[in-house]
């Protein structure tokens, strides 16, 4: 028999097993990758939370700024409104006279002259006017009612329709359309600035300026009287006493004798209430 070859005998060996180290490495990589992803997710979540917080703060800041702007705007609007109201209260006798004069007339009743003024809106081509009763007393006393109005060299015929002797008021009607003056619904106050328009001594379109001195009690059943310091004379009777808002507050009636700066007027609401002409 042949002798065996020296050394290790060779025979058919099985395939080596798959190394365990590769699987372990893959597992470690997967765990690390998962941890990294988790960390990234946590960081992103925190960033998103921070961004939301920043956005909420920005919105809150914007709301505060907007509220501040709105408040400043409201304040400015209030100041503008207040300035407008103050401007409307500024005493401008020239503007008051310009607005009132077209509605004021010289009135002739018999031998007496005075002043009358239109009130309210014309109706069916007819205007209503007011004057002082003592201006038309002579005509009315003898049963007459016809008087003459004069304005800008034009003459108009008018009729006395009603009187209040106690309060020195007479109501006229004229078949013409005259612009009526607005009347105040507020009681006068001492110190209130006024303009008196009339025809003293026949001098038409005369304007005097003053203030309300006081509100006086009338006598012999008459209502209150407005005392004012604007200069008036015979011929002013029946003329309008007007406030800064171009509203009639009274009807000039008389002045104290042997004195200056004491004129009296019938409150316009006395006429408005009784005759419903305002």
């Amino acid at each position: 028999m042949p002798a065996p070859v020296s050394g290790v005998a060779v025979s058919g060996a099985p395939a080596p097993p798959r190394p365990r180290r590769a699987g372990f490495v893959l597992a470690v990589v997967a765990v690390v990758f998962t941890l990294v992803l988790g960390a990234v997710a946590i960081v992103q979540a925190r960033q998103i939370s921070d961004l939301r917080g920043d956005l909420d703060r920005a919105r809150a800041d914007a709301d505060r700024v907007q509220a501040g702007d709105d408040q400043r705007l409201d304040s400015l609007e209030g100041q503008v409104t207040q300035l407008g109201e103050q401007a409307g209260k500024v005493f401008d006798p020239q503007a008051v006279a310009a607005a009132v004069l077209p509605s004021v007339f010289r009135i002739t009743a018999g031998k007496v002259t005075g002043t009358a003024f239109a009130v309210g809106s014309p109706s069916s081509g007819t205007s209503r006017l007011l004057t002082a009763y003592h201006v038309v007393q002579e005509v009315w006393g003898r049963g007459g009612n016809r008087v003459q109005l004069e304005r800008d060299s034009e003459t108009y015929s008018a009729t006395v329709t009603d009187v209040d002797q106690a309060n020195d008021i007479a109501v006229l009607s004229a078949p013409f359309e005259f612009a009526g003056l607005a009347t105040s619904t507020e009681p006068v106050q001492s110190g209130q600035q006024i303009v008196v328009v009339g025809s003293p001594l026949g001098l038409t379109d005369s304007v005097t300026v003053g203030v309300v001195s006081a509100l006086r009690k009338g006598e012999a059943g008459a209502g209150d009287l407005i005392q004012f310091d604007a200069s008036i004379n015979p011929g002013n009777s029946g003329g309008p006493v007007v406030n800064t808002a171009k509203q009639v507050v009274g009807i000039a009636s008389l002045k104290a004798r042997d004195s200056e700066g004491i004129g009296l007027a019938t409150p316009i609401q006395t006429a408005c209430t009784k005759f419903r002409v305002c």
Side-chain angles (χ1 to χ4, degrees), residues 205-235:
D205 294 348
S206 293
V207 177
T208 55
V209 175
V211 299
V212 173
S213 302
L215 193 63
R216 303 295 183 188
K217 290 294 182 182
E219 299 178 355
D224 293 339
L225 292 173
I226 301 170
Q227 178 188 335
F228 57 90
D229 70 348
S231 176
I232 62 172
N233 289 283

Side-chain angles (χ1 to χ4, degrees), residues 107-110 131 133 135-148 157-163 165 170-173:
I107 178 175
T108 301
T131 189
Y133 168 71
V135 172
V136 302
Q137 183 175 6
E138 178 185 340
V139 171
W140 186 263
R142 64 171 185 258
N145 62 4
R146 305 292 292 179
V147 297
Q148 296 294 318
S157 179
T159 303
V160 181
T161 59
D162 210 341
V163 300
Q165 298 184 36
V171 182
L172 313 177
S173 177

Side-chain angles (χ1 to χ4, degrees), residues 76-95:
L76 288 174
E77 290 178 347
Q79 292 176 13
V80 170
T81 300
Q82 185 177 12
L83 288 174
E85 292 175 351
Q86 291 175 352
K89 294 179 181 178
V90 172
F91 188 39
D92 187 350
Q94 183 177 1

Side-chain angles (χ1 to χ4, degrees), residues 106 186 216 242 265:
R106 177 184 177 184
E186 300 295 328
R216 303 295 183 188
V242 187

Side-chain angles (χ1 to χ4, degrees), residues 30-63:
V31 170
V32 171
F33 185 71
T34 302
L35 292 174
V36 170
L37 288 179
V40 170
I42 292 172
V43 171
Q44 289 180 338
R46 288 181 177 177
Q47 290 177 339
I48 292 173
S49 177
D50 292 341
L51 288 174
R52 286 177 176 172
D54 292 341
L55 181 59
D56 291 340
R57 285 189 292 272
R59 286 175 176 172
D61 291 341
D63 290 341

